DNA sequence: CGAACAATTGATCCTCATCAAACCTTGTGG
DNA sequence: CCACAAGGTTTGATGAGGATCAATTGTTCG
């Protein structure tokens, strides 16, 4: 199927780009398909390309020497990732990007974006806005991990996911599709603890959960837990 | 004492600025003195100004609703902070900046920097480089906090401080001046644990420590601990 | 139907936070 | 110049919060 360059305007960083810019980017893009469980790139690879996810879902993760993983970010359609090489010379990806579903993405050379930015300050600005958002989110998550107990972190994690990618289900409630392991990697705990906490919440009627699925029944109750206002 | 605008070139973000740029910035700067323990700004304040520390030492911290603090960054001379308002409209500071010693800083309106960047892509680029560095550091620290045990985190913290602001002492060894509480806030633990770990390391000859002071005797040993290669 | 994967739940253990008390160090004022 | 206060540090005792391990159950898909 042919790809419409104007769709690129849905990418935050290109929202203020001209039509010509979008066509130019599109002409320099390679389409890649990545199967569920496969990788766009690995932590440590030279950061030649940045990507724009056009369908599917992916995650950015970091793993330590023992192989334990943390989930830095979950990516949905029209999000850009791997673009720090547009700023730094000879950058390497600081994280691994893995497809959570069969996905497609556009790959564009970071060098190309770098050159475009020289003469298009609006792209630099929108990229800086994106980066500012990351910095703030990472600072918040860092503080949470350092100071909050696990139940509150899981609540905060679900609330963040809700605002970033929650899908309203027909019967009210918000649908999220993640494994316990995913949620554990996002909130800095283990899948066992996530399972226990969700079971407890289910008894209280806050959520329903199943295989790779959490349905949030009472977001307000989660907010209360996240703020430590309950019991 | 008169302030030499050319000193501003020591600020990473202005390293490629022209002499005229530096004079312009300087002409728009206000000098502020902040006593030890006082604040440049608080988390939640409107981010009108960014700062360049010209003398002293400061820290960026976030606190949660219960008042527990985490140290996001330690600032030394000629470092810039509070500049995210140059990117976002109506931004508020996401962290508090506290002077760790009697300090002086230049305050410049974020709006002014914003306008300068419109026509000076090299400043945008250098700011993006700085932001990229923060993102990577926060991602690393987040992973460490989520996956590493406390002794390794303290080792990593000291090594990071060493590379960022370590001062070689005359007798070899690297001098750092922080309280146990500071180190705890930087590595996500408590002052008691930091004290215990440093005592243990002192017995092993890795460090010497005193009031508000750690002297690193054997950096290589710390690297080993940070990589989990010891014992 | 069976294999592979995801989730649950109980039992156990370990790391580290917390609390308490005493000890050092530094600077200040009588 | 000494005494004292304030703040930083050490160390022990205790316990809670979760991680880890193991076994079982549930779900999905070829």
């Amino acid at each position: 199927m042919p790809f419409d360059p104007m769709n690129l305007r849905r990418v935050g960083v290109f929202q203020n780009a001209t039509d010509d810019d979008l066509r130019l980017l599109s002409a320099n893009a390679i389409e890649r398909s990545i199967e569920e469980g496969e990788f766009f790139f690995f932590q440590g690879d030279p950061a030649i390309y940045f990507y724009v996810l056009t369908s599917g879902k992916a995650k950015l993760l970091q793993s330590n020497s023992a192989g334990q993983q943390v989930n830095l970010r979950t990516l949905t359609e029209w999000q850009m990732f791997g673009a720090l090489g547009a700023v730094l010379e000879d950058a390497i990806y600081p994280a691994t990007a893995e497809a959570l579903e069969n996905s497609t993405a556009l790959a564009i050379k970071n060098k190309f974006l770098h050159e475009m930015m020289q003469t298009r300050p609006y792209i630099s600005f929108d990229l800086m806005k994106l980066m500012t958002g990351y910095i703030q989110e990472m600072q918040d998550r860092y503080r949470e991990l350092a100071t909050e107990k696990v139940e509150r972190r899981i609540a905060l994690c679900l609330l963040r996911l809700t605002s970033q990618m929650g899908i309203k289900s027909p019967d009210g409630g918000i649908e999220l599709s993640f494994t316990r392991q995913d949620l554990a990697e996002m909130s800095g705990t283990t899948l066992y603890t996530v399972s226990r906490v969700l079971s407890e919440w289910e008894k209280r009627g806050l959520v329903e959960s199943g295989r790779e699925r959490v349905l949030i029944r009472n977001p307000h109750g989660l907010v209360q837990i996240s703020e430590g206002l309950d019991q």
Side-chain angles (χ1 to χ4, degrees), chain A:
Chain A
M1 79 192 135
F3 164 71
D4 179 359
M6 292 308 119
N7 273 327
L8 278 175
R9 178 133 320 111
R10 301 164 72 173
V11 179
V13 173
F14 301 132
Q15 61 189 334
N16 296 310
T18 64
D19 289 1
D20 279 347
D21 287 346
L22 299 187
R23 275 188 281 271
L24 197 54
L25 281 161
S26 179
N28 281 276
I30 302 165
E31 290 201 64
R32 288 190 64 188
S33 296
I34 307 283
E35 308 258 302
E36 177 173 342
E38 299 298 312
F39 300 87
F40 292 90
F41 51 76
F42 291 92
Q43 188 174 341
D45 289 351
I48 313 283
Y49 293 94
F50 75 89
Y51 292 83
V52 170
L53 200 63
T54 48
S55 73
K57 204 168 77 165
K59 69 174 175 183
L60 282 181
L61 62 93
Q62 244 187 32
S63 34
N64 69 0
S65 48
Q68 289 173 86
Q69 295 185 357
V70 295
N71 184 321
L72 297 174
R73 202 142 47 89
T74 302
L75 302 159
T76 53
E77 286 178 22
W78 304 107
Q79 287 198 288
M80 171 195 250
F81 57 102
L84 97 175
V87 177
L88 266 42
E89 300 287 323
D90 304 318
I92 58 172
Y93 296 114
T96 297
E98 176 183 350
L100 293 173
E101 305 169 356
N102 291 340
S103 301
T104 55
L106 299 172
I108 303 176
K109 287 221 162 91
N110 268 320
K111 213 167 182 176
F112 185 74
L113 181 61
H114 182 95
E115 279 160 19
M116 277 190 84
M117 284 194 293
Q118 307 283 357
T119 51
R120 293 164 181 83
Y122 43 89
I123 295 184
S124 298
F125 261 96
D126 287 334
L127 182 55
M128 279 195 271
K129 280 182 195 166
L130 187 69
M131 292 169 77
T132 304
Y134 291 160
I135 292 173
Q136 292 197 38
E137 179 176 337
M138 286 312 296
Q139 286 179 350
D140 287 344
R141 287 176 61 183
Y142 180 80
R143 178 185 44 72
E144 287 164 17
L145 197 51
T147 66
E148 309 297 354
K149 294 219 190 308
V150 72
E151 187 176 23
R152 288 175 75 165
R153 298 205 309 270
I154 295 171
L156 285 159
C157 172
L158 289 184
L159 291 170
R160 214 181 325 259
L161 289 173
T162 296
S163 68
Q164 286 174 355
M165 52 192 311
I167 295 169
K168 276 231 158 60
S169 80
D171 57 344
I174 297 144
E175 188 79 38
L176 295 169
S177 60
F178 291 97
T179 66
R180 305 290 177 267
Q181 178 67 34
D182 287 334
L183 295 172
E185 286 172 12
M186 283 186 255
S187 44
T189 178
T190 63
L191 73 108
Y192 308 105
T193 297
V194 171
S195 176
R196 276 181 244 271
V197 169
L198 288 182
S199 296
E200 171 62 27
W201 288 351
E202 188 147 18
K203 275 181 210 145
R204 291 208 253 156
L206 293 165
V207 302
E208 283 166 41
S209 69
R211 189 187 169 96
E212 302 193 25
R213 187 180 88 76
V214 180
L215 181 77
I216 298 176
R217 276 259 157 264
N218 179 359
H220 188 250
L222 284 190
V223 172
Q224 290 213 321
I225 291 174
S226 77
E227 290 171 348
L229 299 175
D230 72 320
Q231 91 232 10

